[in-house]
Amino acid sequence: MKKAHKFILFSFIGPLVMTFFIAVFVLVMQFIWLYIDEMLGKGLEWYVLGELFFYATANVVPMAMPLAILLASIMTFGNLGEHFELVAFKSAGISLQQIMKPLILFVIIISIGAFYFANNVIPVANLKFYSLLYDIRSQKPAINIMPNVFYNEIDGYTIRVKSKKAMDDGREMLKDVMIYNHSDNNGNLQVTVADSGIMSLSKDKTYFSIKLFNGV
């Protein structure tokens, strides 16, 4: 019986590890796809990106683990049934409950570990992830403004730039800037157009300022 339990357990662990990393990879790719335009060409150090991906990976573990267990279970018992190993177990007098017993115990252990991970690690990872993302956006306020896309996250204003260029001091030069003032709810009647501009953050990090050049 012990050999049978070891056989089933090792047959389950292999697909579990494989499907877990595949699920984590897919979920992290979703995160990268969401923020790829903001991260590329921003002059961010590799270790900052690595830290950001690390915290993002920690956040997707609770979603990846159930998928991995489900897929690994299907693959394991599918292979056992395909090679008539389940029939061999039953013919030897081993019931399905006895066959599944080591997997049930193993999944219970994983569940306890997942509970501890979600209760103690995920909150810290979330805090560090959003703190790091906020710091990146605070240091480089133009990171949210995409070329040829209307940016309306500032209340009462909509900004569109044609292109951006990184500067030596870490700031970014905005080219062909258009700023629509919607604070009076009068539509697009108040428009400021400038050849270029630099967006920066105040010293207390509470206000944005945009210095425009050759504007009308």
Side-chain angles (χ1 to χ4, degrees), residues 12 35 47 78 80 89 126 129 135 173 191 206:
F12 177 76
Y35 292 100
Y47 58 86
L80 292 176
F89 282 131
N126 272 326
F129 171 77
D135 291 339
M173 175 70 71
V191 182
T206 57

Side-chain angles (χ1 to χ4, degrees), residues 165-179:
K165 182 180 180 182
M167 302 176 63
D168 295 336
D169 57 1
R171 297 180 298 173
E172 289 181 322
M173 175 70 71
L174 309 178
K175 296 292 185 179
D176 294 335
V177 183
M178 296 180 64
I179 302 177

Side-chain angles (χ1 to χ4, degrees), residues 60-72:
V60 302
V61 167
M63 293 183 288
M65 183 57 69
L67 291 173
I69 293 175
L70 174 62
L71 295 175

Side-chain angles (χ1 to χ4, degrees), residues 10-121:
F10 286 124
S11 299
F12 177 76
I13 291 177
L16 176 66
V17 174
M18 180 185 66
T19 53
F20 174 74
F21 282 106
I22 291 175
V24 169
F25 175 78
V26 172
L27 294 173
V28 171
M29 286 298 104
Q30 183 181 8
F31 159 79
I32 294 176
W33 186 261
L34 182 63
Y35 292 100
I36 187 66
D37 292 335
E38 298 183 2
M39 292 185 293
L40 289 180
K42 305 302 179 181
L44 298 176
E45 293 80 1
W46 64 269
Y47 58 86
V48 175
L49 293 175
E51 186 177 0
L52 201 64
F53 291 154
F54 176 76
Y55 294 139
T57 301
N59 288 326
V60 302
V61 167
M63 293 183 288
M65 183 57 69
L67 291 173
I69 293 175
L70 174 62
L71 295 175
S73 301
I74 295 174
M75 294 173 63
T76 300
F77 285 96
N79 289 331
L80 292 176
E82 182 180 359
H83 296 91
F84 301 101
E85 290 168 335
L86 288 177
V87 177
F89 282 131
K90 289 184 178 181
S91 63
I94 303 175
S95 64
L96 182 61
Q97 290 78 9
Q98 291 176 323
I99 296 173
M100 297 179 63
K101 182 179 179 180
L103 298 184
I104 294 174
L105 295 176
F106 183 68
V107 171
I108 290 175
I109 295 174
I110 292 178
S111 300
I112 295 173
F115 174 79
Y116 175 82
F117 187 87
N119 191 57
N120 296 277
V121 179

